[in-house]
Structure formats: structure tokens, C-alpha cells
Amino acid sequence: MLFSKKHFLLVCSVCVVCYADAQTSFRFDFGSGKPKQGFIQVTDKTRYTPEQGYGFEFSSGLISQNFEKKKKPEDDYITSLKPFYFSVKLPEGNYNVKLVLGDKVGTSVTTVKAECRRLMVEKIETGKGKFATAEFTVHVRDSVIRPSGAKVRLKSREINYLHWDNKLTLEFNNTAPKVCALEIDKVENIPTVFLAGNSTVVDQADEPWAAWGQMIPVFFQPKKIAVANYAESGETLKAFKGERRLEKIWSMAKPGDYLFIEFAHNDQKPGGNHLDPFTTYKQTLKEWIAEAKKRQMMPVLVTSMNRRSFDSTGSITNSLGDYPEAMRQTGKEENVAVIDLNAMSKVLYEAWGPEKSIKAFVHFPANTFPNQTQELKDNTHFTSFGAYELAKCIVIGIKQNVPSLAKYLKQDIPVFDPAQPGSFENWSLPASSFIGSVKPDGN
């Protein structure tokens, strides 16, 4: 059957209207007791289906707790001895999320991640019979570029990633996560921080890999700003644009938003996507900066962190050539903020030294994880610990170089000095259920 251009535009307009009319506000009461008026009941049997639009996925061993004479959402909850995942079908955009956590007769400990292991709530503990409210703002997206209907050219491994589908997935984790209620509301009038980068920035889908982009949301105040991580493993400036990832960002950007740009690890490699540091690399950065400014966004350049490459004296060697310096020069020439993660990472790694720094990178003996028959020895990509420490470096850079964004950071963030980094022994983040043994692109 042949369609005219007029017919095609009509179909597109109908799709846009349907998309715009999709539900963007939800209230859920978790547990087997009678739900609060205006809330949707969620029990351990509530499984996600596209038709229903909400429910648990990837979860087993759910426990639905209820107490007699329930009067409010806190009077029951759902928990599990394993990480459990709750999904809600939502149109893309920014959403405020509010959780009620706790147990009227016991204690609770809850960590919350969103989409592909994006850290939103680090750790909330409640005493016996006590409750806590956790709030955060999360970015939801799909691969469609509106209003044209074109799509981001996803790689095969990205097809099933939780951050490219048409729903929000929340992971509840830690030793005793107890969820009583969940509220979700779309928000339009807050800035968005878009992240463009490679595997050192992306929301890594599988343990044991992680990147600073999936840790940084936990450092921002709720209901003030959203972090939208569009980075992907193996990307260069040229490939990121060619795959329409940059076009997707432009389609969603608005005045007052931010664009963080971190590329170098793959741009330096020979091939069709190679860019020379002081010519085509700088030129491309300047083109992106001009496009961002045209949209009244604030571009922020982030020099790429070093690889774990020590010399015989315990000093980090430069494996990124002239790319960090080219980015610094571009920032000065274009009057754009630069977060020098390259310089801070050198201080950070050298403070750990060759031995302690191993804990920040993906180094594990064979058979540490299911189906991992080979040793993992990766000096480019990070564990959750390493990614978290690098995110703290990004926080320093924001405070020093992007004051308009710094005001959205949480007020109680401890002072951090890369020369005196945290230790692996004093840090923990519960692992998610998704585990992989294949190194990300760009190693």
C-alpha cells in the first residue's frame, strides 16, 4: 500500500498526540493490605506487562508484608533478599520520584538505582518502627528523535538496555530494602545536564563495570535538576554525532540546560572515526559548543581521565597524548568551562599507587562472577568504587568551574581531595543483578 506525504504527516501527528497524552503521574501503595485512596496497589504478584504499564521485572523471592488494621501506606511494604526491580511505562522526560521506606516493627536499609544501575539513593537506614522519605529526579528516554521520528542508531548490545526503553525501571537493593509507597510526577521546569561521552561516562549496564556518569546523579539535590546520561561505550566525537546521539540531545534540550562533553580514549585510535587533537578534534568540539550556545545551553568540557598506566617510579604515564591539552585550549579559546579530570585522575591514581589503584579498576580472577572463565584485567574501565571516586572529582570541578550548576549540588557533600582519596575497605555499594564478562567497547 502506498501512502501520500499528507497521510504520513497525519499518522505522525496522531502518534505525537498519543505520546503527549500518555500518563505521567502515578501513586503506588506497596504491600498486600488495602491501598490508600488514589493509590494503585502493588503486591508481590504484580508483574510488568506492556498493557498494564507497571509491575516487577527481573525479580524473584519478593515478600509482600502486611499488618492488621492497615490505615496508611507505611503499614505494609514489599521486600526481598535479592535486588528487585519495578518498572513503570512513561513518556520520555524528567520525573520527580518520592519513596516511603521503612518497617513499622523492624529496621530497613535501602539503596536505589534507576535504569542501568544509575545511583539515585546511596543508602537510607531506618530504625525499628521508623520511616524515611527518599526523593530524587530521574531522566527517562527512548531512542526516537521527535518530532521527525528518526531513531538513534543503537548498537546491538544496547537494544535491551534499560535506559533506551519506554519505561522507568527502579532497582531496590541493600541488606533490607523495604518499600512502602512510590510516587512519580513529570517535571518540566528544571534544567537537565546532558552527558556526552564514551565507556568512562556511560551508565554501564553490567557489573562489575561502572562509570562516573552513573554515579554523579546521587550528588545532586532532588527536584532541582536532572542528569541525562547519553554516553555510550566505544564512542568518539564523530561516531556520537553519526549515530544521531547528538541529534537526540538537541531534540530534547532547552535553554538553561548543560552539555558535558568528554571524549578522547577512542578518538585517538586510528580508523574512520579518528580525529587529530589540535585540528579536527578541536574543530569538532567548537562545532558542538556553537550548537549548544545557539540553543542557550551551557557547554562544559571534561578532559578524559588517565588510564591506569604507572611507570617504574609510581607515576602515571600519559596515554592520551595531546587530547587533554587540546581540550584545555578549546575551553580557553571558546570561553567555556573546563573540568580537568585528566589532571585530577593523575593525582588520584598516584595517591593510591600501583597496588591500591587496582581496586578502582576491573581486575578480578577467573570465576569471580558467573560464566566468567577468564581473568578480567582492565586498566581503562572502573569498578563502582573507582567510578564513584571519579564522580567526586567531577563534583570538585563543578564547584570550581561551573557555579551556576554547583548551586544544585547537595549541601552535605563531604570535602574531597584527590590527593587523599577514599579507601576501598571503607566503601560499599551493593551489586546489581546484571553481571557481564565482556569488556565494554573502547578498552
Side-chain angles (χ1 to χ4, degrees), residues 7 36 81 90 95 124 165 171 176 190 222 322 331 344 390 407 434 442:
H7 189 178
K36 179 180 178 181
L81 298 177
L90 293 170
Y95 290 84
I124 288 188
D165 56 21
E171 172 191 324
I190 61 171
D322 293 325
M344 285 189 280
L390 286 169
K407 66 183 181 183
F434 302 99

Side-chain angles (χ1 to χ4, degrees), residues 85 97 112-121 136-140 162-163 168-172 203 214:
Y85 299 80
V97 176
V112 183
K113 304 175 190 178
E115 305 292 71
C116 284
R117 302 170 52 232
R118 193 182 308 163
L119 185 60
M120 310 307 298
V121 177
F136 55 88
T137 303
V138 63
H139 181 78
V140 177
L162 301 180
H163 56 226
L168 168 64
T169 299
L170 300 177
E171 172 191 324
F172 302 107
D203 288 348
Q214 66 194 137

Side-chain angles (χ1 to χ4, degrees), residues 309-365:
S309 55
F310 288 92
D311 64 17
S312 60
T313 68
S315 298
I316 287 292
T317 62
N318 177 19
S319 64
L320 291 170
D322 293 325
Y323 290 86
E325 179 56 28
M327 184 170 274
R328 296 183 192 106
Q329 291 183 13
T330 303
K332 290 180 181 179
E333 292 165 8
E334 297 297 311
N335 193 28
V336 166
V338 177
I339 295 176
D340 201 346
L341 187 58
N342 181 265
M344 285 189 280
S345 67
K346 177 177 169 63
V347 174
L348 181 69
Y349 301 170
E350 290 177 353
W352 278 322
E355 295 304 317
K356 289 185 178 180
S357 62
I358 288 177
K359 295 296 186 180
F361 289 80
V362 178
H363 280 242
F364 294 95

Side-chain angles (χ1 to χ4, degrees), residues 26-258:
F26 288 88
R27 303 285 182 271
F28 297 103
D29 188 338
F30 283 57
S32 54
K34 183 179 179 181
K36 179 180 178 181
Q37 185 176 359
F39 281 60
I40 300 170
Q41 184 180 36
V42 175
T43 73
D44 57 314
K45 303 296 192 298
T46 306
R47 301 295 169 174
Y48 182 88
T49 65
E51 296 74 24
Q52 180 171 265
Y54 63 86
F56 291 106
E57 296 187 283
F58 325 112
S59 305
S60 61
L62 293 169
I63 301 170
S64 185
Q65 179 64 57
N66 182 41
F67 301 98
E68 293 183 5
K69 299 179 181 180
K70 176 181 174 179
K71 295 181 179 179
K72 51 188 178 180
E74 292 90 333
D75 287 345
D76 59 357
Y77 61 81
I78 286 182
T79 188
S80 178
L81 298 177
K82 304 175 182 178
F84 58 101
Y85 299 80
F86 187 77
S87 296
V88 184
K89 184 187 293 185
L90 293 170
E92 64 182 7
N94 296 328
Y95 290 84
N96 289 331
V97 176
K98 179 180 178 181
L99 291 162
V100 178
L101 307 168
D103 180 351
K104 68 184 296 183
V105 299
T107 61
S108 74
V109 185
T110 308
T111 292
V112 183
K113 304 175 190 178
E115 305 292 71
C116 284
R117 302 170 52 232
R118 193 182 308 163
L119 185 60
M120 310 307 298
V121 177
E122 192 166 354
K123 185 181 182 181
I124 288 188
E125 298 182 77
T126 63
K128 186 174 182 180
K130 302 294 183 180
F131 299 91
T133 298
E135 295 185 271
F136 55 88
T137 303
V138 63
H139 181 78
V140 177
R141 69 170 187 258
D142 57 32
S143 61
V144 180
I145 301 170
R146 297 174 176 84
S148 70
K151 287 190 174 184
V152 177
R153 296 192 184 103
L154 301 181
K155 300 173 182 177
S156 58
R157 68 167 179 273
E158 293 182 85
I159 301 300
N160 294 320
Y161 282 3
L162 301 180
H163 56 226
W164 281 119
D165 56 21
N166 62 346
K167 55 183 183 280
L168 168 64
T169 299
L170 300 177
E171 172 191 324
F172 302 107
N173 205 331
N174 221 306
T175 55
K178 297 177 180 178
V179 183
C180 302
L182 165 64
E183 300 181 29
I184 301 173
D185 293 291
K186 193 172 186 182
V187 57
E188 304 284 359
N189 59 348
I190 61 171
T192 301
V193 180
F194 291 95
L195 307 182
N198 55 30
S199 58
T200 63
V201 185
V202 69
D203 288 348
Q204 291 284 1
D206 296 329
E207 302 278 0
W209 284 274
W212 70 257
Q214 66 194 137
M215 300 295 172
I216 199 68
V218 80
F219 293 95
F220 285 102
Q221 299 176 51
K223 301 192 289 188
K224 301 288 188 180
I225 198 160
V227 176
N229 193 350
Y230 282 69
E232 170 53 21
S233 297
E235 293 302 286
T236 65
L237 282 164
K238 189 174 180 180
F240 195 91
K241 181 179 180 180
E243 293 162 4
R244 293 177 170 165
R245 300 176 194 273
L246 186 60
E247 183 182 347
K248 176 66 176 178
I249 291 177
W250 296 148
S251 74
M252 299 192 71
K254 61 186 183 303
D257 287 346
Y258 296 79

